[in-house]
Amino acid sequence: MRKLSLRARAWISDICYALLVLVTGGFFAISCAALLSQAVRTSPVRSWTNNWDAVIIAATYLLVCIISIAFCVKRRVAVRRRLQRIAKTHHSIVRREVPQPVHEYISQEFARSCLVSYESQPRYTIHSGWGRPGTRLSGIRFRRALLDTIAEIDARARLVIPSHPNLKPHARMLHHFRFLLPLLPKDEEGLSELHYYDSAIQLVRTVDREPTEEEYQRGMDAVASILQMLRECRLEMLEDSRMQINNVMS
């Protein structure tokens, strides 16, 4: 049998409480009206005038109603104050707060939970396209991490080349960052870090299989080299600007 959700049970509880209040209030009003009617019928003049029985009955019911409301309000305030005194932050249980057997049981269960959690961690598990657990690449998805570097390099490139073209969704990195090629050194094969970065981005964009850890590492090495070059160029630009300002002021 399907259990009701917490919200549904709270809703049903509120409806039952409202019905109980309405039924109780209805019987209260009916009994008050019946007693007042009987007081009028049994009076010598059969009228409300100088009918002290009716006055006493009405005052009694009014007093009961006021006392009931006062008790409800007092209980509501007391519960709210007690809940407010409960700490919202976590506090560890010390020995003096609970009996010794209870404290030992809690400590044993906590240690057991920690041991189970530690033993349940995945080990020696390799998921294609993800970093291995227990290594510095743990939890990193290679495809997403490489694609996220495009915006970072583009933002750094605009600091060095303000007129850098806008990034297009499917543009080749070798074409989009073509203005950075003269700034990057080349290896013995005539390839720069931008060529390796372009290969890594094309791999994660077009190939169905997930990139390997070696491919991801090679792409991130290219990213680090490009960002280092842009950082050095930015520092040189700031130094030149500072020297020009000093020359003008002198």
Side-chain angles (χ1 to χ4, degrees):
M1 184 177 179
R2 184 179 179 181
K3 294 183 179 180
L4 296 175
S5 63
L6 184 61
R7 181 176 297 180
R9 284 183 288 178
W11 185 68
I12 294 174
S13 177
D14 292 341
I15 291 179
C16 293
Y17 181 76
L19 289 176
L20 178 62
V21 171
L22 291 176
V23 171
T24 304
F27 281 114
F28 185 82
I30 291 173
S31 64
C32 180
L35 289 176
L36 290 175
S37 176
Q38 183 179 1
V40 172
R41 290 197 306 268
T42 56
S43 65
V45 295
R46 294 181 177 273
S47 173
W48 295 96
T49 305
N50 296 327
N51 194 337
W52 293 104
D53 292 338
V55 173
I56 293 173
I57 292 172
T60 303
Y61 270 86
L62 180 61
L63 182 62
V64 170
C65 183
I66 293 174
I67 293 175
S68 300
I69 294 175
F71 272 111
C72 291
V73 173
K74 180 182 178 182
R75 179 64 178 172
R76 185 81 175 184
V77 173
V79 171
R80 182 175 294 275
R81 288 181 177 178
R82 178 164 295 184
L83 291 176
Q84 288 178 349
R85 287 198 297 267
I86 298 176
K88 302 300 188 295
T89 57
H90 172 74
H91 290 283
S92 59
I93 298 177
V94 297
R95 293 180 182 273
R96 64 175 179 272
E97 295 180 354
V98 293
Q100 182 66 21
V102 177
H103 186 274
E104 292 179 355
Y105 177 76
I106 294 175
S107 301
Q108 292 175 1
E109 289 299 314
F110 178 74
R112 187 181 66 84
S113 300
C114 293
L115 182 60
V116 171
S117 177
Y118 176 77
E119 292 295 335
S120 300
Q121 292 181 357
R123 297 183 180 86
Y124 314 110
T125 302
I126 299 176
H127 294 283
S128 179
W130 288 82
R132 290 175 297 171
T135 64
R136 61 185 182 87
L137 301 179
S138 177
I140 298 178
R141 189 184 180 189
F142 298 151
R143 187 186 300 273
R144 185 70 265 166
L146 283 171
L147 292 176
D148 289 342
T149 59
I150 299 176
E152 182 181 3
I153 296 177
D154 183 73
R156 295 287 184 88
R158 293 184 184 280
L159 296 176
V160 179
I161 308 175
S163 60
H164 196 273
N166 294 328
L167 179 63
K168 297 180 180 180
H170 302 288
R172 290 283 299 269
M173 297 297 99
L174 196 60
H175 175 73
H176 178 67
F177 295 117
R178 59 188 181 274
F179 299 106
L180 302 181
L181 277 174
L183 304 176
L184 293 169
K186 296 181 180 180
D187 56 13
E188 60 276 4
E189 297 180 0
L191 300 177
S192 65
E193 293 296 333
L194 186 58
H195 289 83
Y196 294 107
Y197 180 66
D198 177 72
S199 300
I201 295 300
Q202 286 301 110
L203 177 68
V204 299
R205 278 180 172 177
T206 59
V207 179
D208 293 335
R209 67 173 179 83
E210 295 291 336
T212 63
E213 184 174 339
E214 291 75 15
E215 293 168 343
Y216 167 78
Q217 194 60 54
R218 185 65 189 90
M220 294 306 293
D221 290 342
V223 171
S225 299
I226 295 173
L227 292 176
Q228 180 64 25
M229 180 273 300
L230 292 173
R231 192 178 302 107
E232 293 175 356
C233 292
R234 178 65 175 171
L235 292 176
E236 291 180 2
M237 292 171 58
L238 295 175
E239 184 66 22
D240 292 341
S241 299
R242 188 181 64 82
M243 292 178 63
Q244 291 178 5
I245 293 174
N246 291 337
N247 292 334
V248 171
M249 293 181 64
S250 60

